[in-house]
Amino acid sequence: MLIPLRANAHVLLPAMRWAIRDGGPQGDATHSFLAVLEAWGEDALPALPDRLPLLADTRTSVDVLGVLRAMGPAAASAEPALSTCQLLDHLGNHWSVTSTAACIRGDRAAALRLVGDAVMTAQVPEHGPFSSLAEFGRDAAPYAEWVRSIHESSTQWWARLSTAVTPWSITGQADPAVQVLEEYVLPVADGDDSFGSFREALRGLIRIDEISPVIRDALLTVRESERRLSQRDGYEAILQDEELRRLIEQVLACPHASPSETCRCSRRLDAEVRERGRGEDLAVEG
């Protein structure tokens, strides 16, 4: 609910910072607020001092690293604090600190090498940081063939989704990715309740800015359905249903487009970027 309120970050941050300091790594709200701060990127810079102590706890360190990478060079002053970072001995964690340091240092080439090496050398290929690799766009072209091979051999839904969107970010070719994302949209229109993969597929489609007529028809069916889009209980079920329905509306705002066309939401986002002067890329969150 807070993520779309980025423009009001200056008003909301004081209370969020207090909650993070008060709750610490074990606080119920801390993880949720860290996700919001990551989505807000540089606008969350005033809260940087409150996040650094959380690097020393394995319950929050990975989330804080994600926030720092989202902020990029604006968080350069945090580099010395990375020496305090405590991580669980887990696949995918070992490259995080070095990659984050390169990112906030503004060394894009070094960060790409680190992420690319992590993808290539992952003991379990599907566990490589494909989502992070996607952030480098066409610069990640040397790794495109490896990503494609992992995608074709993977049977895990989360790996297939990650390795579907990453090649699009590298090549700009939407059709292969859209066809894969269809696999996780169409079943929900038929009554399936795999809402986790459905949500990630919707986010992927928003990022690609293009949908197929088949996906459009399926989402129209889901939108008209009266069932609650959630397997959760109580208020959490309401929130998940609302989140998915918001994502559906964002996807439906992008009609099917040929490679030479730009969808309406892409043009709107480009206009926002030019107006705000925030750079070339704008991440869309639900």
Side-chain angles (χ1 to χ4, degrees):
M1 296 173 70
L2 289 171
I3 285 174
L5 301 178
R6 179 173 179 169
N8 304 104
H10 63 290
V11 177
L12 298 168
L13 277 174
M16 295 171 63
R17 294 180 62 183
W18 179 88
I20 291 173
R21 289 194 301 268
D22 184 62
Q26 72 277 7
D28 292 336
T30 298
H31 289 276
S32 296
F33 284 149
L34 287 175
V36 175
L37 297 178
E38 181 175 354
W40 286 356
E42 291 186 26
D43 288 338
L45 184 61
L48 183 60
D50 305 298
R51 285 170 282 177
L52 298 184
L54 302 178
L55 286 169
D57 195 294
T58 56
R59 290 171 291 186
T60 50
S61 56
V62 172
D63 292 332
V64 176
L65 291 175
V67 175
L68 295 177
R69 286 195 296 272
M71 295 180 63
S77 62
E79 186 173 358
L82 292 177
S83 63
T84 67
C85 188
Q86 300 295 316
L87 293 168
L88 295 175
D89 187 13
H90 185 275
L91 287 172
N93 280 351
H94 300 292
W95 63 275
S96 296
V97 174
T98 308
S99 174
T100 301
C103 182
I104 65 178
R105 200 182 298 131
D107 192 342
R108 181 179 173 86
L112 173 57
R113 286 195 301 272
L114 290 165
V115 176
D117 288 347
V119 167
M120 296 285 286
T121 60
Q123 295 180 29
V124 180
E126 291 91 340
H127 290 184
F130 295 105
S131 297
S132 296
L133 189 61
E135 297 170 6
F136 295 93
R138 295 177 187 268
D139 291 339
Y143 306 99
E145 185 61 26
W146 179 252
V147 173
R148 184 191 64 78
S149 66
I150 297 304
H151 171 75
E152 291 179 351
S153 62
S154 176
T155 59
Q156 303 289 338
W157 69 263
W158 47 267
R160 282 183 57 77
L161 285 171
S162 295
T163 54
V165 176
T166 299
W168 162 80
S169 71
I170 296 173
T171 66
Q173 297 177 356
D175 286 348
V178 171
Q179 290 174 12
V180 173
L181 297 177
E182 282 182 5
E183 300 174 18
Y184 302 96
V185 172
L186 304 189
V188 175
D190 292 331
D192 187 83
D193 59 0
S194 300
F195 298 120
S197 56
F198 180 62
R199 179 185 59 188
E200 296 309 312
L202 294 177
R203 288 176 172 174
L205 290 166
I206 290 169
R207 183 169 183 178
I208 292 172
D209 280 349
E210 185 172 326
I211 61 173
S212 66
V214 174
I215 289 178
R216 181 177 178 80
D217 290 344
L219 291 182
L220 288 173
T221 298
V222 176
R223 184 173 70 176
E224 297 304 315
S225 170
E226 295 183 357
R227 67 172 175 146
R228 181 161 288 167
L229 305 180
S230 179
Q231 290 180 310
R232 299 175 182 173
D233 297 320
Y235 189 55
E236 288 188 354
I238 298 174
L239 292 178
Q240 185 180 33
D241 179 80
E242 291 177 347
E243 176 193 15
L244 291 177
R245 292 187 181 277
R246 283 195 300 269
L247 292 174
I248 288 171
E249 294 303 319
Q250 287 181 262
V251 175
L252 288 173
C254 292
H256 177 65
S258 68
S260 61
E261 295 175 336
T262 303
C263 83
R264 291 197 298 268
C265 74
S266 179
R267 290 196 292 269
R268 288 198 301 270
L269 291 175
D270 288 344
E272 276 193 66
V273 172
R274 288 193 298 272
E275 181 180 349
R276 297 179 185 180
R278 286 181 176 171
E280 298 178 354
D281 298 318
L282 182 65
V284 181
E285 296 290 342

